[in-house]
Amino acid sequence: SVRVPFDHFLELLPRLQPRYYSISSSPKEHPDRVHVTVALVHFDTPAWRRHKGVCTTCLASLAPGSHAFTTGVPVFVRRSAFKLPARPGPVIMVGPGTGLAPFRGFTFELRALRATGEVAWDGHLFFGCRRRDLDYIYAEELDSFVADGTLSTLSVAFSREAESKCYVQHKLHKQRDLIWRLLSERHA
């Protein structure tokens, strides 16, 4: 048999690849912070083994404000081409499934831009999650965006709450006249 020193064995293992998460905040509203929206990954495999996501499990184990949380997690921010349009106007945001994170950031950005009074943005958000009681974690915040006029439309599809499943495309279909007007008349 062969005895391999443990450090040599570790050198043979592939490096853990970086995990990329969408930023769910705006530097205009939160200049000293970066928010991310992360779904905890855990499920049982067909062999009855519990699988836990490496990064999400690590993040979930950290206490906010702890030393490990503020200094022990290496983070970098990549540039993205996914941005609000350069010209003000209506913005239709469609986030199926777990796609809310960037649109939460855009909505903060829209609110900050509206507060300047210089531009007229009009936000329309359609997104989906499974259940209101488990997945709709930003309900109060999103309601406040509607209340202050940042969002003109907030349409959420809860796919596991009714007997017949409701997805984002169903919400879009119900609002098709509005969407067509935004696209054809207001150049959303």
Side-chain angles (χ1 to χ4, degrees), residues 9-42:
F9 171 73
L10 291 177
E11 288 179 18
L12 296 173
L13 297 175
R15 296 189 81 184
L16 187 61
Q17 295 301 306
R19 302 313 196 249
Y20 300 112
Y21 298 101
S22 295
I23 293 174
S24 62
S25 59
S26 164
K28 286 183 173 44
E29 188 146 324
H30 305 100
D32 301 326
R33 291 181 167 187
V34 173
H35 299 186
V36 291
T37 301
V38 179
L40 185 58
V41 174
H42 56 88

Side-chain angles (χ1 to χ4, degrees), residues 6-175:
F6 188 66
D7 60 331
H8 290 216
F9 171 73
L10 291 177
E11 288 179 18
L12 296 173
L13 297 175
R15 296 189 81 184
L16 187 61
Q17 295 301 306
R19 302 313 196 249
Y20 300 112
Y21 298 101
S22 295
I23 293 174
S24 62
S25 59
S26 164
K28 286 183 173 44
E29 188 146 324
H30 305 100
D32 301 326
R33 291 181 167 187
V34 173
H35 299 186
V36 291
T37 301
V38 179
L40 185 58
V41 174
H42 56 88
F43 57 88
D44 293 325
T45 68
W48 299 288
R49 187 174 139 289
R50 187 75 171 161
H51 173 81
K52 296 179 179 179
V54 174
C55 187
T56 59
T57 301
C58 175
L59 290 174
S61 72
L62 300 175
S66 71
H67 178 72
F69 193 85
T70 57
T71 61
V73 180
V75 174
F76 64 94
V77 177
R78 296 188 309 168
R79 286 217 169 269
S80 173
F82 193 44
K83 302 175 190 286
L84 285 171
R87 63 167 180 74
V91 179
I92 301 170
M93 300 171 279
V94 180
T98 59
L100 179 63
F103 301 120
R104 180 177 179 255
F106 287 172
T107 306
F108 278 122
E109 187 89 358
L110 290 174
R111 181 164 66 188
L113 290 168
R114 286 174 54 88
T116 66
E118 298 174 22
V119 292
W121 292 89
D122 186 14
H124 302 269
L125 176 59
F126 299 83
F127 86 98
C129 56
R130 291 179 180 199
R131 294 174 42 130
R132 182 185 329 261
D133 58 340
L134 296 175
D135 305 317
Y136 194 29
I137 59 175
Y138 295 116
E140 292 175 15
E141 189 175 270
L142 292 170
D143 288 342
S144 77
F145 288 133
V146 173
D148 70 17
T150 302
L151 289 176
S152 298
T153 305
L154 172 61
S155 188
V156 185
F158 299 104
S159 63
R160 302 298 188 272
E161 285 191 354
E163 186 139 331
S164 64
K165 294 183 178 175
C166 178
Y167 294 109
V168 173
Q169 59 265 31
H170 298 118
K171 296 291 186 172
L172 290 167
H173 186 263
K174 284 183 181 176
Q175 296 282 343

